[in-house]
Amino acid sequence: MASDISISTPPELGWSSRLITMQFMGTERPWLNLYGNRVRPVAPFGSASSKPFDDPALIHRCLPDELLFEVFSRMSPYSLGRAACVCRKWRYTIRNPILWRSACLKAWQLSGALTNYKIVQSMYECSWRKMWIHRPRIRHDGLYVSRNTYIRTGVAEWKVTNPVHLVCYYRYLRFFPNGKFLYKISSQKVKEVAKIMVRASKSECVFKGDYTLSGEQIEAVLLYSGSRRTVLRMRLRIRGTTVGANNRLDMLRLVTTGVNESEINNDGDDILGVVEGWQEDETHNPDVPATSHRRGLSPFVFVPFEEVETSVLNLPVDKMDYFVPG
């Protein structure tokens, strides 16, 4: 240990040299006292164990378990995952099924509470945490961004060369737990669009639509208002780069088609019911034929709100001409 270190100083050194040497070589290292000590695991919150235990951490001595649980109950699931890496006691407390049950019922509220209870019992061994990790779901704490590029020929200058422009634009999706979503196509960067993706706005070209989730596939529909009503239908597939990430959306289908004025109400709230059962090439307005788009279908990448300022998707074309979503 640090207190047992003995230093032999040559007699020819002066008193000042010996003092400096002793201060340098005999530095206190209190962490060495922890070697060989076994740290007992902390019982989880609500444990029936009757053995008393004094937690050495100051925050645990000042904050009761009940208040610690209340703090965790107000955190998002991804914040809970990061907090579980702090210490054993926090990890055991965060594994409480009440925390994950509320997160699952909110994420899949469109399925209904009874359906979610049946799914967690039959497929996930009654573990809400396992259901949260392994069941495909839509993330609501950020934006799904699709970066698309195409080449456009420019105007010849001085009759020497024909310039070529690389045009970049984005598709933005923001989903809400109640079955609504916002959609926008723009050349603006993520950090600029994240501020306006709050509500539908015609001035900002932000449109509102409805979606349904079935397994890992999303059916999303929105109505473009104007002189000729047009319906945009998207079929997306959820996947993740890691287990439970759900940070990618593959565009399986993108169709625009016309619709009659008599088929929809003024607000267009039940647009999912209008297009239910429609074929891919079906149109109800001869002036707006059904068109299945084959370009601009790059996968969507999820960007959390806390990362919109630092995301690489904010880079201009001259610094990132092509982006691989993974």
Side-chain angles (χ1 to χ4, degrees):
M1 311 304 269
S3 59
D4 298 331
I5 297 177
S6 60
I7 304 171
S8 58
T9 307
E12 59 270 12
L13 292 177
W15 172 253
S16 59
S17 300
R18 284 184 291 172
L19 181 61
I20 295 175
T21 306
M22 291 179 64
Q23 290 179 351
F24 178 74
M25 298 294 295
T27 304
E28 290 290 336
R29 290 177 289 180
W31 57 86
L32 295 177
N33 297 325
L34 299 177
Y35 290 171
N37 295 337
R38 294 178 57 86
V39 180
R40 290 178 294 175
V42 182
F45 175 72
S47 175
S49 176
S50 59
K51 296 182 180 179
F53 180 76
D54 296 330
D55 200 323
L58 178 61
I59 187 174
H60 296 158
R61 294 201 303 266
C62 300
L63 191 65
D65 292 348
E66 294 79 6
L67 292 181
L68 184 64
F69 179 79
E70 288 297 326
V71 172
F72 289 151
S73 64
R74 287 162 172 77
M75 295 171 61
S76 65
Y78 289 93
S79 299
L80 289 176
R82 289 189 287 266
C85 302
V86 174
C87 62
R88 292 184 179 181
K89 182 172 183 177
W90 285 23
R91 185 183 68 181
Y92 292 143
T93 306
I94 288 172
R95 283 181 176 269
N96 193 310
I98 298 178
L99 299 174
W100 300 102
R101 181 185 63 187
S102 59
C104 291
L105 293 179
K106 182 179 180 181
W108 292 285
Q109 62 180 256
L110 294 179
S111 302
L114 181 59
T115 302
N116 288 323
Y117 272 95
K118 293 180 179 179
I119 292 176
V120 73
Q121 292 176 4
S122 60
M123 301 179 60
Y124 300 101
E125 302 174 353
C126 297
S127 173
W128 293 99
R129 180 176 174 272
K130 185 180 295 185
M131 176 178 172
W132 173 266
I133 295 175
H134 295 285
R135 185 181 176 185
R137 56 183 163 77
I138 302 174
R139 297 185 59 170
H140 309 125
D141 56 332
L143 302 176
Y144 286 95
V145 185
S146 173
R147 186 179 188 270
N148 300 274
T149 57
Y150 66 91
I151 296 176
R152 180 174 63 86
T153 304
V155 179
E157 297 180 356
W158 304 105
K159 298 182 179 180
V160 176
T161 180
N162 293 329
V164 176
H165 303 284
L166 182 63
V167 182
C168 177
Y169 69 96
Y170 302 86
R171 299 183 191 270
Y172 295 98
L173 286 172
R174 182 184 178 183
F175 295 92
F176 296 92
N178 60 353
K180 303 293 184 179
F181 76 96
L182 297 178
Y183 177 76
K184 179 179 176 62
I185 298 181
S186 174
S187 60
Q188 295 175 286
K189 301 299 187 292
V190 182
K191 58 183 179 181
E192 302 170 359
V193 175
K195 302 175 183 178
I196 61 177
M197 292 288 285
V198 179
R199 62 181 64 89
S201 173
K202 292 184 179 180
S203 60
E204 300 290 349
C205 297
V206 179
F207 300 93
K208 181 178 69 173
D210 300 332
Y211 74 91
T212 59
L213 175 63
S214 178
E216 61 179 12
Q217 290 194 2
I218 305 172
E219 292 287 343
V221 182
L222 64 88
L223 177 66
Y224 285 122
S225 58
S227 58
R228 294 185 299 180
R229 298 291 185 96
T230 305
V231 173
L232 175 68
R233 294 181 288 165
M234 292 181 290
R235 177 174 296 172
L236 306 163
R237 180 177 58 203
I238 305 174
R239 61 181 176 90
T241 54
T242 58
V243 178
N246 298 292
N247 54 358
R248 298 291 187 272
L249 291 180
D250 294 328
M251 183 79 78
L252 304 181
R253 187 187 67 180
L254 179 63
V255 180
T256 54
T257 181
V259 60
N260 290 329
E261 296 286 343
S262 59
E263 293 180 316
I264 57 177
N265 53 25
N266 295 330
D267 299 330
D269 291 334
D270 193 23
I271 191 63
L272 274 174
V274 173
V275 302
E276 185 178 2
W278 282 20
Q279 301 297 324
E280 182 174 344
D281 57 348
E282 183 176 353
T283 182
H284 289 223
N285 188 350
D287 296 333
V288 187
T291 304
S292 180
H293 300 272
R294 303 301 179 186
R295 296 183 179 180
L297 305 182
S298 298
F300 287 83
V301 177
F302 183 78
V303 180
F305 287 124
E306 59 267 19
E307 299 179 8
V308 293
E309 295 290 338
T310 59
S311 175
V312 296
L313 293 173
N314 292 313
L315 295 176
V317 179
D318 56 347
K319 294 185 178 180
M320 186 175 64
D321 57 349
Y322 189 74
F323 176 68
V324 181

